[in-house]
Amino acid sequence: VRHGTGRNGVREMNEAIEHFEERAALIEYDGKEKRIHAESLALREIAPKYGSEAAKAVYAHLQNRRAQS
């Protein structure tokens, strides 16, 4: 799945964010990693699977979530 434009692009972007959140949680819990390291590892999976624009969006999502904490 690669990032597109329009409604499908938004859907794919949401899928990328969901994938990131799920992978980070699994890496943190199952791998017993600190959250920040788990997020870093999960983020590395996004660009190959969803494209660089999706990776940028996931990174922005991550930064926004951290700012709210």
Side-chain angles (χ1 to χ4, degrees):
V1 175
R2 288 284 180 180
H3 169 64
T5 58
R7 275 190 261 186
N8 286 338
V10 171
R11 182 179 51 79
E12 290 171 4
M13 204 68 68
N14 288 336
E15 287 177 15
I17 290 170
E18 287 180 30
H19 177 91
F20 164 77
E21 292 291 350
E22 183 175 317
R23 288 295 297 142
L26 287 170
I27 293 167
E28 179 184 22
Y29 182 76
D30 291 343
K32 307 214 184 321
E33 297 288 345
K34 291 185 179 185
R35 182 65 185 191
I36 196 161
H37 187 233
E39 288 172 341
S40 176
L41 293 172
L43 186 59
R44 294 179 76 179
E45 296 180 10
I46 299 301
K49 184 169 180 145
Y50 295 96
S52 61
E53 290 302 312
K56 289 176 189 175
V58 170
Y59 184 74
H61 163 78
L62 174 61
Q63 294 301 323
N64 288 336
R65 196 187 51 181
R66 285 180 180 167
Q68 294 174 2
S69 296

